[in-house]
Amino acid sequence: MKRILVFIFLIISVLTSGQKVGLVLSGGGARGLAHIAVIRVLEENNIPIDYITGTSMGAIIGGLYAAGYTCDEMEELFRSDDFYFWSTGKIQKEYRYYFKEPDVNPSWIDIRMEKKEDKLRILPPTNVIPQWQMDFAFMELMAPTNAIIKGDFDKLIVPFRCVATDVFTNTQVILSKGDLGEAIRASMTVPFYFRPIEIDGRLLFDGGIVNNFPHDVMKSIFHPDIIIGHKVANYPKSADADDVVRQVANLVQRPTDYALDPQDGIFLETNVSDIGLLEFEKIDGVVKQGEQTALAMIDSIKKRISRRADHEELTRRRETFQARKPALLFQNIQVEGIEDPMQHKYIINSIKHNKNIFTIEAFKKEYFKLVADEQIKSIRPLAIFNQETGYFDVHLKVEPEKRGEISVGGNISTKPVNQGFVNMEYRMFKDNSYTLLSNLYFGRFYSSFKLGGRIDFPSVKPFYFASYLTYNRWDFFSTSNELFFEDVRPPYIIQNETNLRNEVGFPVGNQDKITTGIAWSGSRDSYYQTSTFKKDDEPDKTSFNAFVLHVAYEKNSLNQKQYATDGTFSQFSLRYISGLEKNTPGTTSIDSILEKRNHNYLLMKGLWEKYNKLNRFFTLGTRLEGVLSNRGQFTNYTSTVLNSPGFTPTPHSSTLYLEKFHANSYIAGGLKGIYHIRPALHFRLEGYAFVPFHEIKKGDKMQAVKSKQLLNSVNFQGMGALVLDTGVGPVSMALNYYEKPNTSLFFTLNFGYILFNKRGF
């Protein structure tokens, strides 16, 4: 009997000593960060992990671990600013290429047009989050690993599989070889959020659509002795017709078999139902809950798994694996997806600049310059290690932008400053880049039409030439901007302006450019100099036709075109303006004689705006602005003020006629305190002071009188606003204050942007 017991003990010892453990990680978006804590607890208790299968976020965590990243390194990555940028598609300020940016406009979405089989097709947006950051990040993270494993996922530190969904057949695709970064990228490509990726001729989406918990893949491929499965996905819940986020979540997490047979292994579940699909900022709470899940089950895991991993041996294996990874240095470039040899040359030269070897940082800088090019829709980079040269070869999968594009946007407001916006572009991409455009603003307060184009020359020192014809109209009489819709109208003022601008631009750095050009501008202002007038009264009319020569330096790394929270904007411009003013008095005017005046003057303007992140929650913004001009006074007070530079630091201030914030020369500035409630939601409090060099006052005969005292008046304005970035446009609820007669507080609720086409001046 004793011999039998010894024999049984030896059999059990042999079986358990070779016990293989498979780890299965479900999808679940940000909830999948709990996987990190589960792996950490398993490691700390010397529980071996011999195989990994994962879907979506489970594929990211599992793939990083299999590639040699420690739990601490993974957690550091997901807490980093880099992860924030590539998970949101936003571009770091040091890589924002301002030279390629078109004039700012209030667009929300871009709709592409394609002519195919003699039919014009409208192509709606395919994804909310741009893919450029993610594509580059997965290449950078996984290229050195790919160089070691040579496309075989069994050669990772831990053999690995992930699951994606074939868009055409709606079937499961098990990824076991090829580029590890692309495989993970395919597995986590949530529909509508991210653009699908093509691998081996198949268009792939998130694996959670067909298999969000690939324990069957683990069993059929690796045949482990025991499985540890960790589920973080919520069970699908009914979604309202307007709840797009829940609808997408249900689509991605369709009914999946989470039932892990107790004979096959141990099932862990972390309940993180209060965490949204993309709420990665809640990593602390998610990781803590994952740790609690693992610790609660660790005794049961130890009973089922008697084999123990040697932590020191695992560390040595990981260090040896990491030491084999080659440095990310690049030499050759191949371009796929375009046929024109001139376009090939343009793209290759844009990256290499005649350099034989270039670093990852140099590559990244030039990559985002190409991303900013309106002629290119997408560039997916692959880094393939060349055994002969010892460097990586870059394979760029380029998709040219469709030639036609329509952008729509504008602003929806509780005030009558609503406006619609449509922009139409046609592009041609040969040895040079050509863009023809036309846009239209329509609304009661502001309307505009613009027609023109731009040619980009990709020379050693690139430059562009642009020419635009623009018509602008502002109708201040149609706006009722008082607090809570009080029907108190400002004096009747309508401004019409037509300009023809010709401009040449040169890049200075990634975020800097110099522009110079000539413009003709014709403005026509209609106004009353009194708030008391009859319906039959004729307004005063002032026209000013002028030629403008300008040179300007601009630097822009702001993260938003309105309500920015990060980056810097600086501008210095010098203009020489020469023109003729004509004034025709109206029926309410004191004078009745037509007057003409020539004006020749210089106008210098400087603007500096910067945001400094104090900590995770607070950002301090600063804005300084100054104008210096030797322009003389116009015929009367109102025409002088209307043609003087104005200080409009907030969106709402640009919709009002604020006499006290106009002057020929002035200095102004203020502070912006920003509290980040969530990554897409913040509260901002702004306060500004405006100091004219010489205040413009109204004389007894309605003429403009320049104060003799220097810097003798100060006027204040401010804003408190709650701003939500929807990804399409901002939703803002603001209370605005201006130091002015009558009403000084203005409440506004807006969706969209308050932006205008440029004036000739």
Side-chain angles (χ1 to χ4, degrees):
M1 184 66 181
K2 192 174 184 178
R3 290 181 179 179
I4 294 174
L5 291 174
V6 171
F7 178 74
I8 293 173
F9 176 76
L10 290 173
I11 293 295
I12 293 173
S13 298
V14 171
L15 291 174
T16 57
S17 64
Q19 199 176 26
K20 296 296 183 180
V21 181
L23 179 64
V24 179
L25 305 175
S26 81
R31 298 183 287 268
L33 296 172
H35 294 321
I36 299 174
V38 170
I39 295 174
R40 181 184 282 119
V41 171
L42 294 177
E43 276 197 350
E44 290 174 348
N45 288 273
N46 298 319
I47 303 299
I49 300 174
D50 299 295
Y51 315 106
I52 296 178
T53 61
T55 297
S56 196
M57 195 63 187
I60 297 178
I61 302 297
L64 287 170
Y65 186 76
Y69 288 83
T70 67
C71 293
D72 288 344
E73 288 171 339
M74 286 191 288
E75 193 168 330
E76 182 181 356
L77 171 65
F78 289 111
R79 293 181 186 277
S80 68
D81 290 338
D82 286 339
F83 174 75
Y84 166 77
F85 285 112
W86 61 265
S87 65
T88 59
K90 300 182 187 299
I91 297 176
Q92 299 96 315
K93 59 186 176 184
E94 59 267 29
Y95 297 114
R96 297 169 197 156
Y97 192 41
Y98 184 51
F99 173 70
K100 285 287 186 179
E101 291 293 323
D103 289 344
V104 66
N105 65 57
S107 63
W108 299 339
I109 58 173
D110 301 326
I111 302 172
R112 295 168 176 84
M113 296 180 295
E114 179 184 48
K115 188 177 182 181
K116 198 169 186 179
E117 298 176 353
D118 294 327
K119 293 182 180 179
L120 188 64
R121 296 196 306 159
I122 302 297
L123 305 175
T126 58
N127 52 289
V128 175
I129 298 175
Q131 71 274 15
W132 314 302
Q133 280 276 15
M134 186 182 304
D135 288 342
F136 196 93
F138 278 122
M139 182 214 69
E140 185 177 1
L141 286 169
M142 296 303 180
T145 299
N146 289 325
I148 300 174
I149 66 173
K150 299 177 182 178
D152 186 354
F153 296 177
D154 286 336
K155 293 182 179 180
L156 293 162
I157 288 182
V158 181
F160 170 75
R161 299 289 187 273
C162 61
V163 174
T165 302
D166 188 309
V167 174
F168 179 69
T169 63
N170 199 34
T171 56
Q172 173 177 274
V173 177
I174 300 172
L175 298 165
S176 62
K177 60 182 180 180
D179 187 287
L180 180 61
E182 285 209 321
I184 297 172
R185 160 80 164 82
S187 183
M188 54 73 60
T189 301
V190 181
F192 308 125
Y193 282 104
F194 306 111
R195 197 163 184 259
I197 183 173
E198 184 177 322
I199 298 179
D200 296 332
R202 293 181 296 187
L203 200 61
L204 303 180
F205 259 139
D206 193 292
I209 295 174
V210 292
N211 189 353
N212 203 41
F213 188 64
H215 62 293
D216 55 336
V217 176
M218 174 65 73
K219 288 179 63 177
S220 63
I221 293 179
F222 293 121
H223 310 289
D225 297 295
I226 189 168
I227 295 173
I228 300 174
H230 184 219
K231 170 184 175 291
V232 295
N234 294 333
Y235 290 102
K237 299 178 181 179
S238 61
D240 297 333
D242 296 328
D243 193 345
V244 178
V245 175
R246 178 64 58 79
Q247 292 170 26
V248 172
N250 288 350
L251 175 65
V252 176
Q253 300 174 25
R254 293 195 306 183
T256 293
D257 180 15
Y258 294 105
L260 182 62
D261 193 316
Q263 293 182 349
D264 293 330
I266 302 167
F267 180 73
L268 310 180
E269 182 174 7
T270 300
N271 185 4
V272 279
S273 58
D274 58 330
I275 304 298
L277 202 63
L278 300 177
E279 291 184 316
F280 292 101
E281 72 276 7
K282 296 183 179 180
I283 182 173
D284 291 331
V286 177
V287 169
K288 184 65 176 178
Q289 287 178 277
E291 180 184 33
Q292 292 171 354
T293 297
L295 290 175
M297 294 293 291
I298 194 63
D299 290 339
S300 298
I301 294 172
K302 286 180 177 180
K303 288 179 182 179
R304 293 287 301 274
I305 303 173
S306 55
R307 176 179 155 228
R308 295 292 177 266
D310 187 333
H311 186 71
E312 293 183 358
E313 173 61 23
L314 175 62
T315 302
R316 282 194 298 270
R317 284 178 54 217
R318 187 178 280 138
E319 290 175 350
T320 302
F321 187 83
Q322 299 284 31
R324 292 170 55 201
K325 294 181 179 181
L328 270 174
L329 296 173
F330 303 89
Q331 187 178 50
N332 300 315
I333 299 177
Q334 295 183 14
V335 179
E336 304 173 20
I338 55 176
E339 298 178 358
D340 193 315
M342 296 301 294
Q343 295 177 3
H344 276 250
K345 184 178 179 181
Y346 173 82
I347 292 172
I348 292 171
N349 289 342
S350 295
I351 293 176
K352 292 195 70 172
H353 295 298
N354 298 321
K355 294 180 181 178
N356 184 38
I357 308 298
F358 53 99
T359 64
I360 184 67
E361 277 302 313
F363 180 22
K364 191 172 186 178
K365 181 179 178 181
E366 302 305 325
Y367 170 80
F368 282 110
K369 284 184 181 180
L370 286 172
V371 163
D373 196 314
E374 289 191 315
Q375 302 287 356
I376 296 174
K377 182 177 182 180
S378 68
I379 304 180
R380 185 149 58 94
L382 294 179
I384 300 176
F385 189 68
N386 190 320
Q387 298 289 343
E388 295 182 2
T389 64
Y391 298 106
F392 285 90
D393 292 339
V394 176
H395 290 246
L396 297 175
K397 297 185 177 181
V398 179
E399 183 179 354
E401 187 56 273
K402 306 301 180 186
R403 288 197 172 188
E405 180 178 279
I406 299 175
S407 302
V408 296
N411 182 60
I412 300 172
S413 177
T414 55
K415 299 298 183 183
V417 293
N418 298 281
Q419 66 184 35
F421 171 79
V422 179
N423 184 80
M424 293 167 285
E425 293 189 7
Y426 182 80
R427 306 184 182 97
M428 293 176 287
F429 181 26
K430 294 292 183 181
D431 51 338
N432 299 320
S433 173
Y434 303 87
T435 303
L436 302 176
L437 70 83
S438 176
N439 71 35
L440 178 68
Y441 291 75
F442 48 95
R444 292 176 60 191
F445 166 64
Y446 174 71
S447 56
S448 179
F449 174 75
K450 177 178 175 181
L451 178 67
R454 166 172 164 161
I455 306 174
D456 280 87
F457 300 88
S459 54
V460 176
K461 294 292 184 182
F463 68 97
Y464 72 80
F465 171 75
S467 181
Y468 301 107
L469 175 65
T470 307
Y471 167 75
N472 294 303
R473 176 184 173 89
W474 287 267
D475 186 348
F476 290 93
F477 185 73
S478 294
T479 61
S480 175
N481 290 289
E482 306 302 318
L483 182 64
F484 302 128
F485 307 102
E486 292 180 17
D487 189 18
V488 180
R489 293 178 174 178
Y492 171 71
I493 297 172
I494 294 178
Q495 291 189 290
N496 293 280
E497 191 255 0
T498 303
N499 67 78
L500 176 62
R501 294 188 295 120
N502 297 284
E503 182 177 279
V504 178
F506 308 87
V508 179
N510 258 31
Q511 304 156 6
D512 312 59
K513 70 176 181 180
I514 292 176
T515 62
T516 184
I518 184 171
W520 173 84
S521 177
S523 66
R524 299 167 302 282
D525 300 336
S526 299
Y527 52 89
Y528 289 100
Q529 298 189 65
T530 175
S531 58
T532 304
F533 52 87
K534 299 175 183 178
K535 184 178 180 180
D536 297 332
D537 282 331
E538 285 291 324
D540 290 43
K541 296 179 181 179
T542 297
S543 66
F544 183 52
N545 297 324
F547 284 97
V548 183
L549 297 174
H550 93 273
V551 61
Y553 165 82
E554 291 183 10
K555 178 177 182 179
N556 190 346
S557 63
L558 299 180
N559 62 337
Q560 300 288 351
K561 51 189 173 184
Q562 207 156 71
Y563 298 116
T565 60
D566 179 64
T568 301
F569 179 82
S570 56
Q571 179 190 71
F572 176 80
S573 63
L574 174 64
R575 286 176 168 79
Y576 172 72
I577 302 170
S578 177
L580 175 66
E581 173 205 357
K582 293 182 180 180
N583 179 262
T584 304
T587 56
T588 63
S589 178
I590 296 176
D591 298 320
S592 59
I593 302 173
L594 173 69
E595 287 196 40
K596 297 181 180 180
R597 293 185 184 183
N598 289 308
H599 295 275
N600 299 282
Y601 60 96
L602 290 172
L603 190 151
M604 289 189 295
K605 181 177 181 179
L607 193 158
W608 181 76
E609 185 174 351
K610 184 175 178 61
Y611 295 88
N612 295 290
K613 191 173 183 179
L614 303 180
N615 55 43
R616 178 180 172 185
F617 296 103
F618 291 97
T619 295
L620 181 64
T622 307
R623 180 186 177 109
L624 298 174
E625 185 175 316
V627 171
L628 186 62
S629 172
N630 63 341
R631 193 200 70 172
Q633 310 291 8
F634 273 48
T635 304
N636 57 56
Y637 169 78
T638 303
S639 62
T640 300
V641 173
L642 286 173
N643 286 276
S644 297
F647 179 59
T648 56
T650 64
H652 182 257
S653 63
S654 64
T655 68
L656 296 179
Y657 170 57
L658 300 168
E659 301 175 42
K660 290 182 174 292
F661 294 91
H662 285 261
N664 284 343
S665 302
Y666 65 81
I667 53 173
L671 298 176
K672 313 178 187 186
I674 300 171
Y675 176 71
H676 301 274
I677 303 169
R678 294 175 61 180
L681 179 66
H682 72 267
F683 176 78
R684 59 198 300 135
L685 189 63
E686 306 182 12
Y688 302 97
F690 174 84
V691 183
F693 280 31
H694 296 280
E695 185 180 4
I696 303 175
K697 296 184 177 181
K698 185 182 294 187
D700 296 337
K701 296 183 178 181
M702 298 295 181
Q703 79 276 23
V705 178
K706 184 173 72 173
S707 172
K708 295 182 179 180
Q709 293 181 308
L710 182 66
L711 305 175
N712 69 321
S713 67
V714 182
N715 292 289
F716 298 95
Q717 63 172 283
M719 178 188 73
L722 187 67
V723 182
L724 173 67
D725 179 9
T726 66
V728 177
V731 176
S732 60
M733 183 171 62
L735 185 64
N736 302 269
Y737 167 79
Y738 306 98
E739 190 172 348
K740 61 185 285 292
N742 302 320
T743 303
S744 58
L745 291 175
F746 301 79
F747 174 79
T748 61
L749 179 62
N750 293 280
F751 169 66
Y753 304 94
I754 300 177
L755 296 169
F756 314 119
N757 277 328
K758 286 185 177 180
R759 300 189 64 159
F761 297 147

